[in-house]
Amino acid sequence: MEIDRRVFIASLGGTTAVSLLGDEAKADALEEYMSARLNEAVTAQSAPVAPQFPSAAELEAQIETRPTRRGVGNLFTARSGNVKRLDKLPSNPRLVDFFTMRFNNTSNHCLQSATKALRGGMSEEVVLACLLHDVVQEIIKVDHGWWGAQLFEPYISEKVAFAIRYHQALRFYADPANGYEYPDLYRRVFGHDYRPEPYIEATYQMVRKHKWYGEARMVTVNDLYAFDANAQVSLEPFVDIIGRHFKQPKEGLGYDNSPVAHMWRTIERPDAPL
Ligand SMILES: [Fe+2]
Ligand SMILES: [Fe+2]
């Protein structure tokens, strides 16, 4: 242990006071001083400072301090500085084109989540749900489970759409038996005292009893810890799963006259003024 000589002497009352002490008294004082510092260090290590989370009211008070609302999609705002120019998509754009050229803020997290699901031996439908679960946040964040399921619904199975839609509600409810604890991230984002809206609670109660609860729950399980800044991920391991489970329209996403085509065009062209 390092001893700051000046602090030690000051703790004894200064150099004059120390000069009045005998050798044994000085040794005793030093030992006592070192024990006290050691105890402080051990206490500091064993009792980590509890993270501070804002309250829901504090977060609400921040609304008028920002130029954008919290639910705005990533493509429409920059976290710092200005937004970037987007590359032009090929004609007949495919899902993989959107992954590489438009899902710039969400693809890393979704790829980490899908990678975790793949390594954990999840079904291909769960892996696909994890891969797609948050990418709609590029156009809108609020109610992203519902928006996300709608964006993909014409091209995926009902079960995968179910898992995407309802991961949003399930993430507020712990299920330790299946490996899901309420995350600190939500205490930070929603406030430590946040209570989900009644429609979220009602949705949770419905999904809890549904035959596809497990699929939706596994999206939340593989969602946690999928925020590693150093993780190396790639779309490559998922290309075959996309091929088997995602019905790519031959006209390209946005041009197939499906009920959600406009959503894909919005992701393609977020700079259009109207
Ligand atoms: Fe999500
Ligand atoms: Fe997520």
Side-chain angles (χ1 to χ4, degrees):
M1 192 193 321
E2 293 264 325
I3 293 291
D4 185 324
R5 199 178 143 81
R6 280 185 309 171
V7 176
F8 171 57
I9 291 170
S11 77
L12 296 176
T15 43
T16 312
V18 171
S19 68
L20 297 173
L21 296 175
D23 285 346
E24 200 167 324
K26 277 184 198 156
D28 286 349
L30 180 61
E31 193 177 329
E32 195 179 318
Y33 179 82
M34 289 180 74
S35 295
R37 297 295 81 74
L38 178 64
N39 287 340
E40 280 172 14
V42 170
T43 307
Q45 276 173 12
S46 60
V49 180
Q52 294 289 305
F53 300 113
S55 69
E58 283 167 345
L59 289 168
E60 197 170 321
Q62 291 173 7
I63 289 174
E64 293 186 322
T65 69
R66 297 195 191 90
T68 57
R69 298 191 187 278
R70 294 176 89 200
V72 71
N74 296 308
L75 278 170
F76 296 101
T77 185
R79 279 191 194 148
S80 63
N82 293 333
V83 295
K84 300 268 183 302
R85 188 183 293 272
L86 294 164
D87 293 332
K88 195 168 167 29
L89 288 181
S91 52
N92 302 351
R94 300 163 306 147
L95 179 63
V96 291
D97 298 318
F98 281 89
F99 253 96
T100 53
M101 298 166 83
R102 287 296 181 277
F103 300 161
N104 301 336
N105 279 284
T106 52
S107 60
N108 190 301
H109 164 63
C110 287
L111 283 166
Q112 284 190 44
S113 176
T115 302
K116 190 162 175 265
L118 192 65
R119 290 187 183 145
M122 300 279 143
S123 69
E124 290 197 347
E125 285 178 304
V126 167
V127 172
L128 184 66
C130 290
L131 185 68
L132 306 179
H133 80 283
D134 277 346
V135 296
V136 82
Q137 291 186 31
E138 300 291 351
I139 45 172
I140 190 159
K141 291 183 182 171
V142 54
D143 259 335
H144 72 282
W146 275 268
W147 283 99
Q150 187 178 4
L151 178 69
F152 290 112
E153 220 151 24
Y155 316 110
I156 57 178
S157 73
E158 223 184 308
K159 194 193 281 183
V160 177
F162 182 95
I164 294 171
R165 177 173 290 114
Y166 296 122
H167 89 275
Q168 183 197 329
L170 292 196
R171 70 203 166 128
F172 292 114
Y173 302 90
D175 181 356
N178 278 302
Y180 186 79
E181 302 286 354
Y182 188 85
D184 275 354
L185 176 67
Y186 297 159
R187 294 189 175 94
R188 193 169 298 120
V189 173
F190 294 95
H192 62 78
D193 52 351
Y194 178 73
R195 289 286 165 271
E197 297 288 326
Y199 79 92
I200 292 286
E201 170 70 22
T203 299
Y204 166 67
Q205 296 299 341
M206 179 277 288
V207 177
R208 192 80 186 81
K209 297 182 208 94
H210 197 280
K211 63 179 172 182
W212 293 335
Y213 169 74
E215 278 77 8
R217 174 51 78 195
M218 284 306 126
V219 175
T220 69
V221 169
N222 291 285
D223 199 359
L224 290 182
Y225 314 115
F227 295 95
D228 180 355
N230 300 313
Q232 297 291 323
V233 285
S234 129
L235 191 57
E236 208 278 324
F238 307 105
V239 170
D240 287 349
I241 293 177
I242 291 171
R244 281 192 285 277
H245 297 273
F246 186 88
K247 294 192 272 305
Q248 172 68 44
K250 62 178 185 317
E251 307 88 339
L253 289 161
Y255 303 97
D256 58 348
N257 274 325
S258 80
V260 301
H262 63 287
M263 293 169 73
W264 290 95
R265 293 195 303 269
T266 299
I267 300 173
E268 180 178 3
R269 304 168 61 240
D271 289 302
L274 285 171

